[in-house]
Amino acid sequence: MSAEYATSAEKSLPWLKFANPRNFYPLAGKMIPWFTALAIIFTLIGLYISFFVAPTDYKQGESYRIMFIHVPAAWMSMFIYIVMACYAAIGLIWNIKLSDMMAGALAPTGAIFTFLALWTGAFWGRPTWGAYWVWDARLTSELILLFLYLGFISLRAAIDDPRRAARASGLLALVGVINVPIIYYSVKWWNTLHQGASVSVTESPKMASIMLTAMAVMAFAFWMYTIAVVLARVRTDILEREREAVWVVEEVSRTA
Amino acid sequence: MNWESFSDFIQMGKHGFYVWSSYGVTALFLAIEILLVRRKRQVVRKRLARLARLDTTLEK
């Protein structure tokens, strides 16, 4: 591809050059296949452990297998929000365009995992608690997280000027961070129907450790998936935002 | 091995509906996300390529 472009500041801090969309674009392109491969491998291992290695739960029967995607999806919903808010903060403080684009690219994936945490939770709650939904502190705060993601996405879509959109949505993302510890500690602070930290649901230690392995492998698979899909999304955003740049004109004219 | 047969696997005890609704919708959403990201990339590339061609013809 094109020669790398670096300012003097970027020469003294070499990795900083990847804050430049022009240098980040080809790097992201090279990273996507690796994260995709890892996501596929870990999904297959995770599903295998979830369905064929982990034994039937003596209390809940087979419905507890929903946990192997429910818990990782819920973790992702919170992790992605924190990462998104960090990118938004870096974008706001140092006025780095790529950082704002990363925040924007993370939001849809975060919203999807939040929805999936709620959805799988509903389908686990029905056979376990007898209800798809209750206005429990854990469930309600997770629903608020979904609205925060959707608000962030809509706000960006509603403002035409990308710099103003970055500032407004970045502030929303930062204010919303307060909700993440509320979700996390909700099971301690309030008397919830939702169980406490799932990592300690230990009856026999052997079973707990295989369950923990399945959840960790699935969480890792979701992380790899997230990185791959977010990098792919941000590459398109870079092309759109930098469409005036010569390298983008060359890049889009190459194949299409 | 947890399952004696394929139908045993599908039934998931009595909880097949709940388990497969959870896993199915998760797979569906992630698949849709991948398709949307891909399609948007193609659409954007095409549009920008057209704009680039238009610019070069105007310059000539």
Side-chain angles (χ1 to χ4, degrees):
Chain A
M1 262 221 47
S2 53
E4 277 167 355
Y5 164 85
T7 65
S8 58
E10 288 164 1
K11 272 174 195 146
S12 53
L13 283 169
W15 54 268
L16 247 187
K17 74 171 188 241
F18 292 115
N20 186 322
R22 180 186 176 168
N23 298 326
F24 186 73
Y25 183 88
L27 174 73
K30 276 180 215 144
M31 282 155 69
I32 291 169
W34 294 100
F35 286 107
T36 307
L38 285 172
I40 294 169
I41 293 166
F42 277 86
T43 302
L44 293 176
I45 298 172
L47 288 176
Y48 177 75
I49 302 175
S50 302
F51 284 106
F52 297 104
V53 182
T56 306
D57 186 78
Y58 83 102
K59 236 164 145 185
Q60 295 187 18
E62 308 298 350
S63 67
Y64 95 99
R65 295 185 195 279
I66 295 169
M67 174 177 78
F68 301 130
I69 43 173
H70 171 71
V71 175
W75 283 341
M76 290 309 294
S77 71
M78 292 185 282
F79 285 152
I80 292 177
Y81 195 92
I82 291 170
V83 176
M84 182 182 95
C86 288
Y87 272 120
I90 293 168
L92 283 178
I93 297 166
W94 288 290
N95 211 355
I96 298 173
K97 217 182 337 183
L98 182 60
S99 198
D100 165 63
M101 287 192 245
M102 281 300 290
L106 278 157
T109 306
I112 287 173
F113 278 117
T114 310
F115 171 78
L116 290 175
L118 290 165
W119 178 273
T120 55
F123 278 80
W124 190 12
R126 185 67 181 89
T128 317
W129 303 335
Y132 284 106
W133 181 263
V134 287
W135 290 100
D136 164 295
R138 175 53 76 77
L139 279 67
T140 307
S141 53
E142 182 76 8
L143 183 65
I144 291 171
L145 185 70
L146 180 62
F147 293 147
L148 281 169
Y149 277 120
L150 297 180
F152 180 85
I153 295 167
S154 339
L155 194 57
R156 293 173 74 85
I159 304 175
D160 282 333
D161 175 22
R163 293 175 71 102
R164 283 186 52 218
R167 223 170 312 146
S169 65
L171 274 176
L172 174 69
L174 286 178
V175 173
V177 168
I178 188 71
N179 189 43
V180 174
I182 293 179
I183 297 171
Y184 190 79
Y185 290 109
S186 58
V187 287
K188 274 190 192 155
W189 292 344
W190 290 283
N191 208 348
T192 55
L193 185 54
H194 195 284
Q195 67 196 35
S198 51
V199 188
S200 61
V201 280
T202 151
E203 291 298 332
S204 99
K206 196 180 158 214
M207 223 165 96
S209 87
I210 193 69
M211 286 175 183
L212 200 73
T213 309
M215 284 196 296
V217 172
M218 287 307 283
F220 192 75
F222 281 175
W223 254 125
M224 298 300 107
Y225 167 84
T226 301
I227 296 172
V229 81
V230 167
L231 288 177
R233 187 180 286 122
V234 86
R235 263 163 67 90
T236 307
D237 295 345
I238 289 174
L239 290 181
E240 267 195 309
R241 284 268 278 270
E242 306 284 292
R243 60 176 169 269
E244 312 280 318
V246 179
W247 75 267
V248 172
V249 174
E250 283 170 7
E251 166 68 23
V252 294
S253 314
R254 251 181 344 120
T255 39
Chain B
M1 193 57 165
N2 293 316
W3 322 104
E4 286 176 5
S5 65
F6 184 68
S7 73
D8 196 26
F9 177 67
I10 294 300
Q11 276 167 9
M12 281 287 144
K14 297 184 300 291
H15 295 135
F17 171 70
Y18 303 106
V19 173
W20 298 122
S21 297
S22 299
Y23 279 84
V25 169
T26 301
L28 185 74
F29 266 67
L30 300 187
I32 289 174
E33 185 182 25
I34 293 169
L35 287 179
L36 288 180
V37 166
R38 278 208 173 153
R39 209 176 57 189
K40 182 159 185 220
R41 177 165 176 77
Q42 286 163 358
V43 169
V44 167
R45 280 192 73 119
K46 256 186 205 155
R47 199 181 66 224
L48 294 183
R50 209 166 52 227
L51 280 174
R53 274 201 305 278
L54 201 68
D55 279 355
T56 39
T57 39
L58 284 178
E59 276 163 22
K60 275 174 194 168

